[in-house]
Amino acid sequence: MLSLSTSACAEEPYQPNWLFLGEWIDIDGRDRTADETCGGTFAYVDAYAGALAVEFGVTEHLGPYRWYSPEQYAADLPCSDDFACFVPEDQCIHTPVLPHEHEMVHMTAFAAASCPSALGEGLAVFYGRTFGSDAKTSDFDLLMTRMGAPSDHPRSSAEYGILGRFMAYLVEQFGVDAVLDVCRITGRYPDGPALSAALETVLGMTTHELLANFEPELGPSCNNFREYQSRVFACGAAQAAPDLGLVSVNGEHAIDVTFTLACANDIMAGPVDNQMWLIRRFDVDADDTYFASMWGEDGGDLPGVELTLAKCEPCGKVLTGPGPFVGPVELTAGRYSLQVRAPADFGGGVNVTIEH
C-alpha cells in the first residue's frame, strides 16, 4: 500500500507540447497554441537561430524554446523575477514572449563558447533585435565597472545598452570569432584581471586599452540601438532574410513588391508589444539618390505602419518613416536591411518601391 501511495503521488514527468520542430530550435507551447502567434513566427525563429548559428560557427541543433502563457509563466516562475531566460543546464529558453531574439543569442553563443556575463549580455544585445537598449556617453563608467567584474550580472537596464554598444565596437574591430575565443579562454566566471589577460592574448589589448580606444566612439551619432545593432537576419553571413534583389543606378533593376500584412499571413512575425513585422534584404550597386515609397492598397492610409531601410555596416545609415511614405533617399553601394512594421491588428496590402 505504501508503495502504491508513493507512486500515485509522484510528480508526472514533464510532457512537452511541441508546436514546431525546426532545424535549429523546437518550440514547446506551455499552455499555448500555434494560433496565438503570427503565421510566420515559428519559421522566423528557426531562420533567425540559423543566422546566429552561422555567425557563431555552430552546427548542431540548439534546443527547445519553451513558450509560456502569461498565467502559466506566473505559476511556474522558471526565471525567478525575469520575464525571460536561457538556462544552460537544460539548454532551454523560458519566456512568455515569442520571438525573443535576445535569449536566442544566449542559447546560440553558449553552444559556441561559455562567455562571462559582460560579454554574453553584450552579444545578446548587439545580435538581438526586439529588446535592444540605447547607450549613453554617461554610461561609460558603468561599462568600466562591469568589465572589472565581468561575471556579475548587469544591475541596471542602462548597463545593457553600453554593453551592447561595446560589443558592436569589438565585433567591428576584431570579429565575433575573436570575441568567442576570449570566452573560450575565460569560461563563464573570470575576474577582471583574468578577462583582461584573455583580451590581451586574443585581441592584443588589455581591458584598459580597449576601453581607452572605445570611449571616443561614444559620441551622439551611434548610441541609438537602431543604429548600432547587427541586423544579423538580413546582414549576416547566412543571408537569412528573403532577397528582394538589386537596385541599380542605371534604372535597369528596381524593387516593386506588395506585401499582404496580416498576422495570420506566413510572411509576418510577432506580435511583440502589439507589433508584427517582416524583414527583407536588398543591394544597391552605386552611391546616388534613389526614390523610395510605401503606399497602402488603392492609395489607402497605413495607420501605424513603418518602413525602415538600414545599411549593413557598423553604425550604417538608418532611414525610418511612417506610411504612406514617398521621397528621395541617399543610398550608398552595398547591402541593406528592409523592415516593415505594423500594429498586430493591421490588415491590408502595402506596396514598397525602391528605384533610381
Side-chain angles (χ1 to χ4, degrees), residues 5-15 30 72 76:
S5 175
T6 303
S7 174
C9 293
E11 185 178 346
E12 291 292 326
Y14 177 73
Q15 296 295 325
R30 186 87 163 99
Q72 192 65 53
D76 291 357

Side-chain angles (χ1 to χ4, degrees), residues 16-331:
N17 172 31
W18 297 120
L19 301 178
F20 175 82
L21 299 177
E23 180 182 357
W24 299 99
I25 279 184
D26 301 330
I27 298 176
D28 170 18
R30 186 87 163 99
D31 192 36
R32 287 283 197 178
T33 58
D35 60 2
E36 293 180 80
T37 189
C38 292
T41 300
F42 293 164
Y44 168 81
V45 166
D46 201 51
Y48 201 102
L52 294 170
V54 170
E55 211 73 12
F56 297 168
V58 175
T59 57
E60 67 270 18
H61 187 273
L62 295 170
Y65 186 124
R66 192 158 295 155
W67 176 40
Y68 297 73
S69 69
E71 297 78 15
Q72 192 65 53
Y73 194 83
D76 291 357
L77 290 177
C79 304
S80 186
D81 293 333
D82 293 331
F83 69 95
C85 62
F86 164 67
V87 180
E89 288 72 22
D90 59 8
Q91 191 67 16
C92 183
I93 293 169
H94 301 266
T95 179
V97 178
L98 183 75
H100 199 308
E101 297 94 336
H102 182 104
E103 300 304 331
M104 290 161 57
V105 179
H106 280 310
M107 173 185 267
T108 315
F110 185 79
S114 186
C115 291
S117 181
L119 298 184
E121 293 300 339
L123 284 168
V125 173
F126 177 56
Y127 282 103
R129 196 198 67 83
T130 310
F131 297 99
S133 300
D134 296 343
K136 299 177 183 176
T137 305
S138 58
D139 295 336
F140 184 73
D141 289 346
L142 295 175
L143 176 63
M144 292 179 64
T145 299
R146 185 56 51 235
M147 293 299 288
S151 300
D152 294 347
H153 198 69
R155 293 185 173 88
S156 71
S157 58
E159 286 191 53
Y160 285 90
I162 196 66
L163 287 171
R165 179 68 181 87
F166 184 53
M167 184 55 63
Y169 160 77
L170 292 179
V171 171
E172 177 190 358
Q173 295 294 320
F174 305 101
V176 69
D177 289 344
V179 173
L180 294 172
D181 283 343
V182 172
C183 296
R184 293 183 183 105
I185 293 174
T186 65
R188 290 175 69 185
Y189 302 111
D191 59 14
L195 175 59
S196 185
L199 289 167
E200 187 172 24
T201 297
V202 177
L203 309 183
M205 286 191 276
T206 64
T207 299
H208 177 77
E209 291 167 333
L210 287 167
L211 292 175
N213 282 5
F214 169 64
E215 187 176 15
E217 291 202 4
L218 273 177
S221 62
C222 192
N223 289 340
N224 186 290
F225 177 68
R226 281 198 169 196
E227 295 167 344
Y228 76 73
Q229 64 178 292
S230 73
R231 294 185 178 82
V232 65
F233 190 67
C235 302
Q239 305 188 96
D243 187 15
L244 294 177
L246 176 71
V247 180
S248 61
V249 72
N250 63 11
E252 210 172 289
H253 301 281
I255 292 170
D256 186 351
V257 60
T258 297
F259 301 111
T260 302
L261 306 190
C263 191
N265 195 327
D266 63 7
I267 65 171
M268 303 306 296
V272 173
D273 293 334
N274 200 39
Q275 293 281 306
M276 60 180 178
W277 63 90
L278 62 81
I279 300 173
R280 299 292 185 265
R281 59 186 168 93
F282 68 95
D283 291 279
V284 170
D285 71 352
D287 302 1
D288 213 324
T289 302
Y290 295 81
F291 191 77
S293 67
M294 179 173 68
W295 295 97
E297 283 182 310
D298 302 321
D301 291 338
L302 296 173
V305 180
E306 179 184 84
L307 174 68
T308 298
L309 310 178
K311 184 75 181 289
C312 288
E313 61 185 28
C315 296
K317 186 173 184 179
V318 180
L319 303 166
T320 298
F325 168 84
V326 59
V329 292
E330 298 294 327
L331 302 178

